[in-house]
Amino acid sequence: MSNVKWTFSPYNEEVYKKSKNRVMFVGADPNAEKEAVKTTDMGEWFRERLEGFNNCFYQRTVKMLAGVLQHIEDDGVGEDRHVKRLEHMRFIDLKATPGGPEAKTVQVREYLETGDNAKKVSKYFNDPDTFPKYVILLGNHVHTLFFEFRGSKDKDLIFHEKSLAVCMPHPSHSVGYEALEQVSKNDLLKKFRPITDKKLYKWTHENGKG
């Protein structure tokens, strides 16, 4: 496993910066153990579809994205049909150093508490020119650390007050496509709440309720 820090470029930096509907997915740390991963940038991973169009992580991400950017229609039926939505997306991880198939909350917390890492991560959230309108917090590790770090006087993770947020399963989770498509199509956009709210909506695939 490489120790090189990952970067998290938007799918299309120019479009993302100008977009009024920026969507940011937030994971825990990159899974760099797979042989198919030939990059250390998440934007490139999505642009090049390095693990294929049918990769579960890719498919679950684009299905959630479709639930947020409902006003943008698929472009045809080919493998590029999601591109017009993806151009408004960025995928980041709280911990830029590579991990394995399963993230560990303690390791991500230690990373955020080391040096100025939390301040660097905060820039993804609160940059006045590129802060996301929609933030999708993925998986229990991220959910736990988000509430732990948000608003803490002793921690430096800062979010933009105009962002909206929701808690969803991580794309590597075994949530079924049909259930994910259903909640994305019917409910997801309605479930975003101000990122500063004390309690955010959390969708679970077992019962479809937050």
Side-chain angles (χ1 to χ4, degrees), residues 1-2 6 30-35 37 39 98-101:
M1 183 191 304
S2 171
W6 280 55
N31 176 7
E33 288 192 347
K34 294 182 179 180
E35 292 184 3
V37 177
T39 183

Side-chain angles (χ1 to χ4, degrees), residues 2-8 30 40-41 96-98 111 116-117 120:
S2 171
N3 289 320
V4 176
K5 282 190 175 182
W6 280 55
T7 53
F8 306 99
T40 55
D41 179 75
T97 51
Y111 175 85
D116 62 350
N117 286 337
K120 290 178 179 178

Side-chain angles (χ1 to χ4, degrees), residues 10-190:
Y11 186 92
N12 183 320
E13 192 160 1
E14 184 176 352
V15 174
Y16 186 82
K17 186 172 183 178
K18 294 178 180 178
S19 176
K20 295 181 180 179
N21 295 288
R22 289 185 288 267
V23 181
M24 193 163 75
F25 290 85
V26 184
D29 59 11
N31 176 7
E33 288 192 347
K34 294 182 179 180
E35 292 184 3
V37 177
K38 305 297 183 182
T39 183
T40 55
D41 179 75
M42 281 302 295
E44 182 181 5
W45 188 91
F46 278 97
R47 286 189 296 271
E48 302 299 327
R49 295 192 287 271
L50 293 175
E51 295 185 68
F53 177 78
N54 293 319
N55 173 266
C56 293
F57 186 102
Y58 179 88
Q59 282 295 321
R60 291 184 180 114
T61 302
V62 296
K63 291 181 192 308
M64 285 187 275
L65 184 63
V68 181
L69 301 180
Q70 296 180 2
H71 64 288
I72 301 177
E73 298 182 355
D74 284 351
D75 187 10
V77 295
E79 292 191 357
D80 290 332
R81 62 182 177 269
H82 304 299
V83 168
K84 287 185 177 179
R85 293 194 198 95
L86 286 164
E87 288 182 329
H88 300 265
M89 183 207 80
R90 180 180 222 159
F91 195 111
I92 75 160
D93 287 310
L94 296 179
K95 174 174 166 282
T97 51
E102 294 185 11
K104 293 179 173 61
T105 300
V106 64
Q107 292 179 355
V108 181
R109 180 186 294 112
E110 287 175 355
Y111 175 85
L112 290 172
E113 292 177 338
T114 299
D116 62 350
N117 286 337
K119 290 183 179 179
K120 290 178 179 178
V121 174
S122 291
K123 290 181 180 180
Y124 295 122
F125 291 97
N126 62 30
D127 186 300
D129 295 321
T130 59
F131 74 87
K133 179 176 181 180
Y134 301 105
V135 175
I136 302 179
L137 303 165
L138 301 167
N140 289 331
H141 304 290
V142 173
H143 301 166
T144 297
L145 292 169
F146 168 80
F147 288 107
E148 179 181 325
F149 276 72
R150 186 187 64 177
S152 172
K153 294 180 180 179
D154 300 324
K155 302 181 188 293
D156 296 317
L157 204 56
I158 302 170
F159 308 92
H160 198 286
E161 61 182 8
K162 291 184 179 180
S163 293
L164 305 172
V166 70
C167 297
M168 292 292 288
H170 193 274
S172 64
H173 197 281
S174 58
V175 56
Y177 285 177
E178 184 176 348
L180 194 55
E181 283 185 329
Q182 193 68 26
V183 71
S184 293
K185 184 183 297 183
N186 299 330
D187 300 317
L188 184 55
L189 191 56
K190 305 173 187 175

